[in-house]
Amino acid sequence: LLTAPEPLSASGIDRAQDVAAEYPGFYVVAGDDYLPQYALARATVTAVSLPVALAILAVAVALVASESRISRQILVAVGAGPMSHRKLLAATSWLLALIAAVLAVPSGLLPLVVTAGQSDFPIRIPWATIVIVLFVVPLLAALVSSVVARTPRLGSLLRPI
């Protein structure tokens, strides 16, 4: 694997491909040969998977919230306000999204590593996507859940168990 010290022009890449064609087993691959062709597919998959992941997370948070009725009753009994309920739901959704992200990143990288091991192309780790999945998605989930969280009616939480 040889790399050029500076970016090559289109004519420079053509000359390098002509030289490599004279030697069996040698070839020239420019970054433009394999990166942009998947940019639209990657953007489409990300645009579709993000709302689906957030919807799954919303269902999980709703299930956790419905199962935590006693905890909410205790919060109301000790005088916690509506903001405490929103913060609790935001923390729950952040934690669930973070756990999902930590599991999703290695799962997403596994096909990349397996596929790259079967070809001669170098592995390009999608660091921007990993940062988005690990940091932005959990924060977005916490923000959305705190905004859309409904404050439970006080009377429904103060009934005896």
Side-chain angles (χ1 to χ4, degrees), residues 88-110:
L88 181 63
L89 279 178
T92 301
S93 62
W94 175 81
L95 181 63
L96 288 173
L98 185 62
I99 291 170
V102 167
L103 294 173
V105 167
S107 301
L109 289 178
L110 183 64

Side-chain angles (χ1 to χ4, degrees), residues 45-47 49-58 61 90-102 104-105 128-146:
V45 168
T46 303
S49 63
L50 185 62
V52 169
L54 288 175
I56 292 169
L57 181 63
V61 169
T92 301
S93 62
W94 175 81
L95 181 63
L96 288 173
L98 185 62
I99 291 170
V102 167
V105 167
T129 304
I130 291 172
V131 167
I132 289 171
V133 168
L134 287 176
F135 297 107
V136 176
V137 171
L139 288 175
L140 180 65
L143 179 67
V144 168
S145 68
S146 69

Side-chain angles (χ1 to χ4, degrees), residues 31-94:
D32 292 340
D33 290 341
Y34 64 96
L35 289 179
Q37 66 184 354
Y38 298 113
L40 180 62
R42 188 177 341 166
T44 303
V45 168
T46 303
V48 170
S49 63
L50 185 62
V52 169
L54 288 175
I56 292 169
L57 181 63
V59 169
V61 169
L63 288 172
V64 168
S66 70
E67 291 293 323
S68 65
R69 181 175 172 80
I70 294 174
S71 298
R72 288 184 297 174
Q73 288 174 335
I74 292 171
L75 283 173
V76 168
V78 297
M83 195 57 158
S84 297
H85 175 70
R86 290 178 185 269
K87 286 180 182 178
L88 181 63
L89 279 178
T92 301
S93 62
W94 175 81

Side-chain angles (χ1 to χ4, degrees), residues 99-125:
I99 291 170
V102 167
L103 294 173
V105 167
S107 301
L109 289 178
L110 183 64
L112 174 71
V113 172
V114 169
T115 304
Q118 298 172 354
S119 70
D120 295 330
F121 292 116
I123 296 175
R124 293 196 47 122
I125 304 293

